[in-house]
Amino acid sequence: MAVDSEKSGADGKVWSLCKMPFWQTSIASASSSSSVASASVSGQSQIHEAVERSSLHSSNAVSSMAKSLLPTRRRLRLDPPNKLFFPYEPGKQVRSAVGIKNICKSHVAFKFQTTAPKSCYMRPPGGILSPGESIIATVFKFVEPPESNEKPIDHRSKVKFKIMSLKVKGEMDYVPELFDEQRDQVAVEQILRVVFLDPERPTPALEKLKRQLAEAEAALETRKKPPEETGPRILGEGLVIDEWKERRERYLARQQQVEGVDSV
């Protein structure tokens, strides 16, 4: 009996020894597999977030690069688009002209700038154009005489002109301070290069310049004319004569003439 009990005890111990490691190893393997799975999931999520961040950053970089490569949307249309033609007459003040048209749906202010403000000026130097409105600006420049070793017609000017634009809200009086107050909204429309023309040689550019200058002078004369009077007229020393009063005076004058004739 003792032997049987010892054998049974030994078998129980062996069973317990065989049983415990099996469950422990299964639990350990399960926990390790779950930790590996969670680690793999977290790693995949981190990789996915990193890929999204990199793709977003790359898309933003591509979009900003594309925007920088795209041409700036113009608010004004210039004619000529990038040049100012001057007749070459050394020692004289000559004129050029450029047509400016607002092609926006809002009011646009424009302003001239030059690298030689002492020898060049513009008329008008700036203004505000309503949608679709156009104007011909006149540019004045003094032509320096050429040097001794320089051909007259080959004389090149380093003077440049810049036209800037700014969107404004509705009609308002133009003041140059608008461009200083809203500096971040100012756009450079075009930098105009000076080109000299031979006044003795007819060319299409010279003929077009003459037409533009004539139109600019006509528009200036129109602006100089006083507005037509729609109200009472003022004559002499502030005497106001309305239309009905003028007719009454003419009627009284005729009556006096008739009475004079009758008396005679």
Side-chain angles (χ1 to χ4, degrees), residues 245-263:
K245 193 173 182 179
E246 190 174 3
R247 289 201 302 266
R248 183 172 179 273
E249 289 180 352
R250 288 199 299 267
Y251 173 76
L252 293 176
R254 286 197 299 269
Q255 291 294 328
Q256 290 177 359
Q257 291 177 358
V258 171
E259 290 176 358
V261 171
D262 292 342
S263 62

Side-chain angles (χ1 to χ4, degrees), residues 9-178:
D11 292 340
K13 290 180 179 180
V14 171
W15 173 251
S16 64
L17 291 174
C18 293
K19 186 178 181 182
M20 291 302 293
F22 174 76
W23 289 105
Q24 290 178 355
T25 54
S26 63
I27 295 170
S29 63
S31 62
S32 63
S33 63
S34 63
S35 62
V36 170
S38 62
S40 64
V41 171
S42 62
Q44 289 178 359
S45 62
Q46 291 177 359
I47 293 172
H48 184 66
E49 291 176 359
V51 169
E52 286 183 350
R53 287 196 299 268
S54 62
S55 62
L56 181 62
H57 178 70
S58 61
S59 64
N60 291 335
V62 171
S63 62
S64 61
M65 185 179 296
K67 288 180 181 179
S68 63
L69 293 176
L70 289 175
T72 305
R73 187 174 181 179
R74 303 296 182 189
R75 300 166 181 165
L76 304 173
R77 181 182 297 160
L78 307 181
D79 184 26
N82 54 7
K83 296 177 182 178
L84 279 178
F85 294 100
F86 289 91
Y88 186 69
E89 299 179 10
K92 296 182 180 180
Q93 187 182 66
V94 294
R95 297 180 301 163
S96 181
V98 56
I100 306 173
K101 183 177 181 179
N102 180 7
I103 57 176
C104 279
K105 295 182 180 180
S106 60
H107 287 69
V108 175
F110 70 92
K111 179 182 178 181
F112 272 99
Q113 280 189 347
T114 178
T115 56
K118 293 183 178 180
S119 60
C120 304
Y121 69 95
M122 289 69 65
R123 189 179 67 193
I128 296 178
L129 299 176
S130 59
E133 185 181 0
S134 60
I135 189 176
I136 297 180
T138 308
V139 185
F140 298 83
K141 180 182 179 350
F142 179 78
V143 181
E144 297 288 343
E147 297 180 0
S148 58
N149 58 351
E150 189 176 24
K151 294 182 180 180
I153 202 61
D154 292 339
H155 179 71
R156 296 182 180 180
S157 176
K158 297 181 180 179
V159 179
K160 294 181 180 180
F161 296 84
K162 180 168 63 175
I163 298 181
M164 300 180 296
S165 66
L166 173 67
K167 284 187 178 182
V168 295
K169 296 180 180 179
E171 296 182 0
M172 61 176 65
D173 294 333
Y174 170 77
V175 288
E177 289 75 16
L178 285 173

Side-chain angles (χ1 to χ4, degrees), residues 152-219:
I153 202 61
D154 292 339
H155 179 71
R156 296 182 180 180
S157 176
K158 297 181 180 179
V159 179
K160 294 181 180 180
F161 296 84
K162 180 168 63 175
I163 298 181
M164 300 180 296
S165 66
L166 173 67
K167 284 187 178 182
V168 295
K169 296 180 180 179
E171 296 182 0
M172 61 176 65
D173 294 333
Y174 170 77
V175 288
E177 289 75 16
L178 285 173
F179 289 82
D180 297 330
E181 296 171 356
Q182 306 180 36
R183 192 183 303 271
D184 55 341
Q185 302 295 327
V186 175
V188 177
E189 289 291 331
Q190 190 60 263
I191 295 178
L192 304 175
R193 183 170 56 90
V194 173
V195 177
F196 287 110
L197 301 174
D198 187 357
E200 303 298 331
R201 181 183 176 185
T203 58
L206 184 61
E207 295 299 324
K208 183 177 180 179
L209 173 61
K210 291 179 179 179
R211 290 196 304 269
Q212 286 184 319
L213 290 173
E215 292 178 10
E217 288 296 328

